[in-house]
Amino acid sequence: MLWVEMRDLSKEQGIREGFKFSKMLWSPAYKNSTATTKSAYWESLLEVEKGDIILHLVKGVSKNKDEMKFIGHSVAVSKCNVVSTPAPHPKYDYCDIFYTVPLKNYQEFNSEISLKKTFKINEEQLIVFCNTNVHNNATKSTELCQLGFSVSTTHA
């Protein structure tokens, strides 16, 4: 399977070494200190399997620090692990359980691929896709469309 990691490289400072960019995908297992609220976005890590390809979509690498670009890819060393560990970053000190996927074989692309330009080039096809799938009540497609158009217009 193919996955996309979204990461802000300007926020790498303070992350423990083994959890840094291109070394590990990771997320907290829950959103707050009550451990009752989970994130569907973070829980998608549980679906990663050994050998899956990870595309790295990052911001903080170009003159426009908010522009997201695909800059390379890695391979998942194993399926997702649920581990009890100190927080990889102080922002998540409230949590003691994390989802982790170790990575290997990071390869940088010859040139960065702008997400905004990718959406702009494929805008007509994406609109047709979204309109077709929204009318069929395809929830996941609707979420994809909302994400896609949000990213393309606001650099979210």
Side-chain angles (χ1 to χ4, degrees), residues 97-143:
I97 299 174
F98 292 85
Y99 303 138
T100 64
V101 178
L103 302 175
K104 67 179 180 180
N105 300 339
Y106 173 72
Q107 293 186 336
E108 195 169 285
F109 294 144
N110 290 333
S111 58
E112 299 166 344
I113 303 166
S114 165
L115 181 62
K116 183 177 180 180
K117 288 179 186 174
T118 301
F119 276 106
K120 189 68 180 158
I121 290 167
N122 297 291
E123 184 174 18
E124 288 180 34
Q125 294 155 310
L126 287 167
I127 290 170
V128 168
F129 174 81
C130 289
N131 287 336
T132 301
N133 288 288
V134 168
H135 291 116
N136 290 334
N137 295 319
T139 305
K140 289 193 182 267
S141 297
T142 303
E143 291 169 1

Side-chain angles (χ1 to χ4, degrees), residues 119 123 126-127 130 144-154:
F119 276 106
E123 184 174 18
L126 287 167
I127 290 170
C130 289
L144 168 69
C145 294
Q146 290 169 345
L147 170 66
F149 290 112
S150 170
V151 169
S152 108
T153 58
T154 65

Side-chain angles (χ1 to χ4, degrees), residues 16-33:
R16 290 188 8 226
E17 190 58 40
F19 290 81
K20 290 191 180 254
F21 172 73
S22 79
K23 305 290 183 209
M24 179 88 67
L25 300 179
W26 65 273
S27 72
Y30 41 89
K31 286 184 170 184
N32 55 39
S33 60

Side-chain angles (χ1 to χ4, degrees), residues 34-78:
T34 63
T36 58
T37 307
K38 299 208 177 234
S39 164
Y41 175 72
W42 290 342
E43 288 205 333
S44 66
L45 275 177
L46 294 169
E47 299 176 38
V48 176
E49 296 287 338
K50 179 180 179 176
D52 284 355
I53 304 295
I54 313 300
L55 296 177
H56 300 286
L57 176 63
V58 302
K59 70 178 188 175
V61 295
S62 63
K63 290 179 187 174
N64 177 353
K65 295 293 183 195
D66 288 330
E67 184 172 5
M68 300 201 73
K69 296 185 175 192
F70 291 100
I71 63 168
H73 65 90
S74 297
V75 176
V77 172
S78 68

